[in-house]
Structure formats: structure tokens, C-alpha cells
Amino acid sequence: MTTTEDPALAPLTGPPPADSRARAALLALAKQTAKDGPGPHATEAQWAKGKLTVHERLALLFDEGSFQETEPLRRHRATGFGLEDRRPYTDGVVTGWGTVHGRTVFAYAHDFRIFGGSLGEAHAQKIHKLMDLAREAGAPLVSLSDGAGARIQEGVTALAGYGGIFRRNVAASGVIPQISVMLGPCAGGATYSPALTDFVFMVRGTAQMYITGPDVVHAVTGERITHDRLGGADVHAAVSGAAHFAHEDEGECLSEVRYLLSLLPQNNRELPPSVPSEDPADRRCEALFDLVPADPGRSYDMRLVIEEIVDDGDCVEVHAPWATNIVCALARLGGHVVGLVANQPASLAGVLDIHASEKAARFVQMCDAFSIPLVTLVDVPGFLPGKDQEHGGIIRHGAKLLYAYCNATVPRISLVLRKAYGGAYIVMDSQSIGADLTYAWPTNEIAVMGAEGAANVVFRREIAQAADPEAVRADRIKQYREELMHPYYAAERGLVDDVIDPAETRAVLIRSLAMLRAKRADMPARKHGNQPV
């Protein structure tokens, strides 16, 4: 570690030279020393773990030459446990701002080479100041996390530092985009900062998050488990839902962070950036006829439908491996960013369950906070039945999605592709809960339930008393479908605004979104609602 006794720093601690050029040379030496860190051995140890150094990471995140560091010469003032002889510059965190695709972005990045990236008083104060700057300047904040938690030698002041970070995460929530990039270990209370941000990226093999580590788990439960199996990238991306994205290496990860930032506005007072699109707005989507079977019982991949509709087939799917029965994605339509929420018939037939409701609710809230219009593609047979779902709180969790949609004031368009049954139809941004425009394909079936289930309920006694129950059941199913589930039943009653040709879906959505772009909707005056949690 760099210390006050380091010979290289001796000129910096003595009387300053009288010559201004000599003083500037000393300043350059100090800043270079701060950038170099503890020395080549610490850097090589970082590389040996498959991890980049803090400045290598920042170089990948920001436009070339744009990063401006703040407080590079900050040092801690703690004493005891040998800290007074170990006072490296930066105190283990690099803070500053730069540009990503030409737009201002703030970032702080832990330097694992210094105190293991652990958080002490000076370290925390640097982060607090940067977070305040980001919120006041109205620009996104990215944290590059690679730290060992609170600095034990500094005691409770380190814990207070985390409290200040959490408070600022909440204050900035819905004001500026906050992105956490997990590039190393994150344990204990430190994990709550990424949990409070809008998006969490993790790198496989090097990043872990957990409240209690493997040793504590073994001591308390007797179970032996590895760091990765307890809190690795794939665990949080596919099982817990705590991570939105998992990537193979840091280069790929930071490239995707840059792309995500290109889809987000600077703050809640601006619209997301638009770009000219060479994909014709009136392009017919003939492939949709083959992608989506008319038979409501047949499966298909909703992601292919989204790729066919959006500009150049390009989108960012959020939480892709978690709650796969619903798809949440950011894309562009006609050059403008939209958020897409869609049932996924290829997974659990596209039903809504606890995790899918939570996933979609969080995404809807994020889009609404940052003025991203919502397009909902509906093909839902209902909520997942079962004791586990009921006891796990499907009512409470399903209400989260309902609340998120009802509370959203951005432009909202829903499109029913095939099935839309029962309460799940209502929750998936139906006209009755405030969708601005609702469309349907001619393959739609909007009803309380499927024809088979409805016939069994409505005609139960008649079927039971019939000489040929199966024949009567088949006849009544056909009757129910023809009378109450034909594609134009909802349109005749004004429950959808139009039944559209599937091939015209892209054109209809782009025209509708253009009309709604100036939408202004005010919510009732209140401190805040009491959202189900």
C-alpha cells in the first residue's frame, strides 16, 4: 500500500518549491501516484483474478478522454490498527464524471487494490458528494462495485457511510437513472445499494452478492455452499431476480451498460433520446402470421414477435432469465424508445404468477418514472393456480402490477394477440384500468375464462343430465365461443379501439405513439400512494 513513508511521495510531504513549474510537476506526480495505486504487484493480483483495474473499467465505460476525476488526492484521517501509516490517495474509490455517447454520466468505482475497496469515512464522503452532484446536475449515476464491504478498522463510521449512500439512492430514485455494475464481491449491508437502483449488472465468475457469506451459512445451517452458488451472477439473474443482466466478462458488461444508457433519459424531466431510424415506420410485418399460431393452445416465442415489430429487430430484454413467463424489454419504434411488457406463451403458457407480476410491476414503474411509453402485448390465460401461489401471496403480488399500471401516466397502448382471460386480462393494461389505446388482432379471445371452463360452469347441470354429456359439452363450448368469444365482441362494446391486421401492427403502434407523445396526465394531489409490497 502507498504510505506516508513511501520514498516516491517524499517530495509531496515536504516544503513546496518556490517555482510554479516545479509545483505543477509535483501535482502531476501526485495524481499519477493516485492513478497507479499501490503498485504493480497489486495490479497484477487484480488481473490474476480476471478483473480489470479501476481506471481500465472507467475507460471502457466512458467516451475516450472524457472522464474527469473528483477528489483524486483524498486520504483518510483514521488512526489505530495501523491505518495512520497507510493513507493511499483516493482511499479506495475513484469518483467523477464523463460522457457516454456524448451525454454526461457520473460514476464511482471501487479500487479493490486499496483496502480491498472497503468503505471508510473518506471513501463514503467522496461517494456522497458525487451522488449529490449527479442528482443536482440531472445525469445518470453508475456504480462500479468491487469492494469488501465496511472497513472494519474504522468501526461504526463506515456503517454510517453506507446509510448515507442508501438515503441518496432513495432520494435519486425516479429522478435520475441509477445503474449498479457488480464486478467483484458485495456482502452484508452493502448489497442494499444495488437493490435500490434501477438496474443491476453482474459479471459471471467474479461478482457475488449476499447478505451472509458461505462461512456464516455453514456455521448457522451446516450447509456448505460456494460463493457463486450462493450469490453469483446466474443465481441472481435467474433465481432471486436481484440482477437484471449477467455477462461473461467486464468488457461485454460495460459495453451493454453504455447501450442501456443510450436508451434512457438523463433525468425525469427529459424524454429518452430519439434517433433517426432507417426501418420504415409503415413496414408491414407479414412474418407475424407465421410466428403466432391462430390456435390459442399452441405455443410460440413472444420475443420473436417483439423483434419483428421494433426498429431493426433490436431490443434490450430486462431480467431475461428470471420469471420467463413474461418479457420486459426496451426498444425503439420509429426511432423513439418504448418499454414493452408481453406475456410469453413459450413459458408456463404465459400465465401471470408471483415473480412475473413483480418483474413487470418494477419495469412498468421504471418506464413511468423516466417518461418511457408502454406497449403491452397480451396473450394471457390467467393467473397461475395452486396452493403455493395463493400462500405465497399471488393476490398481493398481482396487485403490484395492477397498481403500477394504474399509477402510470406515460402513453400506454395494449394489444391483445390471442387469449386475454379473467383478472389477468384486466391487469395487463386493459382499457378499464387506463390504457390510452387498446387494439386486438382478429385472433383475439377476450373473456372471463376459456370456452371449455366457461361451458363447464354455465351449463354444468345441463351437461350432467344429458344422455350424451360429451356431445352436449362440445356443443355448448362452441356456442359460448361463437356468442361471447368471437374476435369482434370486445370491439362491438368499445372495449378495444380497433381490431387490426397483424401485419400492420408496427405502423399502428408508431402512429399511435406519435399522437400520444404530448400526453399530459396529472395524478391527484397526495404525498404518495400506499403501494402493495
Side-chain angles (χ1 to χ4, degrees), residues 96-109:
W97 77 89
T99 60
V100 175
H101 300 299
R103 299 191 302 157
T104 299
V105 173
F106 288 79
Y108 67 88

Side-chain angles (χ1 to χ4, degrees), residues 119-400:
L119 182 137
E121 181 185 28
H123 183 121
Q125 288 174 350
K126 288 180 65 174
I127 295 174
H128 295 169
K129 180 176 181 179
L130 189 87
M131 295 179 78
D132 291 339
L133 276 173
R135 182 164 57 88
E136 292 163 4
L141 174 69
V142 178
S143 64
L144 305 183
S145 299
D146 186 7
R151 193 172 300 165
I152 298 172
Q153 299 95 320
E154 294 196 31
V156 72
T157 55
L159 296 179
Y162 274 122
I165 292 173
F166 302 157
R167 178 165 59 86
R168 287 168 173 81
N169 283 140
V170 174
S173 181
V175 179
I176 57 173
Q178 299 180 83
I179 299 175
S180 297
V181 186
M182 315 309 294
L183 303 169
C186 184
T191 58
Y192 287 111
S193 180
L196 290 168
T197 59
D198 300 301
F199 297 98
V200 178
F201 288 75
M202 293 187 74
V203 173
R204 294 185 176 97
T206 57
Q208 298 95 30
M209 291 193 296
Y210 36 65
I211 297 296
T212 56
D215 292 340
V216 176
V217 170
H218 176 64
V220 174
T221 69
E223 180 184 5
R224 292 195 179 275
I225 189 168
T226 65
H227 291 274
D228 254 7
R229 286 185 56 219
L230 181 62
D234 288 321
V235 168
H236 287 308
V239 181
S240 76
H244 299 77
F245 306 96
H247 294 285
E248 292 298 328
D249 57 58
E250 296 187 17
E252 174 188 293
C253 179
L254 292 169
S255 176
E256 289 302 306
V257 172
R258 286 176 56 87
Y259 181 55
L260 176 62
L261 284 166
S262 76
L263 297 170
L264 299 175
Q266 290 292 88
N267 54 63
N268 64 335
R269 298 183 300 276
E270 297 183 10
L271 294 175
S274 60
V275 298
S277 175
E278 296 182 0
D279 194 346
D282 59 354
R283 170 173 58 81
R284 285 182 60 82
C285 303
E286 298 288 345
L288 294 176
F289 291 111
D290 300 316
L291 290 174
V292 183
D295 181 356
R298 289 181 58 192
S299 176
Y300 64 94
D301 190 344
M302 182 64 82
R303 291 171 299 182
L304 299 179
V305 173
I306 292 173
E307 290 173 5
E308 176 63 22
I309 293 171
V310 302
D311 291 358
D312 304 308
D314 196 11
C315 67
V316 174
E317 187 177 353
V318 178
H319 266 146
W322 183 59
T324 54
N325 42 323
I326 201 158
V327 176
C328 298
L330 292 170
R332 283 189 168 91
L333 277 168
H336 294 271
V337 178
V338 296
L340 295 120
V341 180
N343 306 110
Q344 173 58 292
S347 176
L348 293 177
V351 297
L352 286 178
D353 62 2
I354 289 172
H355 288 160
S357 299
E358 287 187 319
K359 171 179 171 177
R362 176 74 170 171
F363 183 77
V364 168
Q365 286 181 165
M366 184 280 299
C367 288
D368 187 51
F370 294 116
S371 303
I372 299 173
L374 288 160
V375 174
T376 304
L377 305 179
V378 185
D379 191 345
V380 61
F383 285 94
L384 181 64
K387 181 184 72 173
D388 290 343
Q389 288 290 306
E390 296 295 345
H391 290 185
I394 184 62
I395 296 172
R396 176 168 49 88
H397 293 286
K400 294 178 184 179

Side-chain angles (χ1 to χ4, degrees), residues 3-5 76-87:
T3 72
T4 53
E5 281 71 37
H76 73 74
R77 299 172 295 178
T79 58
F81 304 101
L83 286 180
E84 63 272 14
D85 295 325
R86 300 171 62 197
R87 300 182 61 228

Side-chain angles (χ1 to χ4, degrees), residues 381-436:
F383 285 94
L384 181 64
K387 181 184 72 173
D388 290 343
Q389 288 290 306
E390 296 295 345
H391 290 185
I394 184 62
I395 296 172
R396 176 168 49 88
H397 293 286
K400 294 178 184 179
L401 180 54
L402 181 61
Y403 190 100
Y405 269 126
C406 291
N407 204 44
T409 60
V410 292
R412 291 157 50 190
I413 300 174
S414 66
L415 169 65
V416 180
L417 280 63
R418 296 193 313 185
K419 303 180 296 296
Y421 296 160
Y425 152 66
I426 299 172
V427 170
M428 289 295 293
D429 206 20
S430 63
Q431 187 181 98
S432 60
I433 66 169
D436 297 298

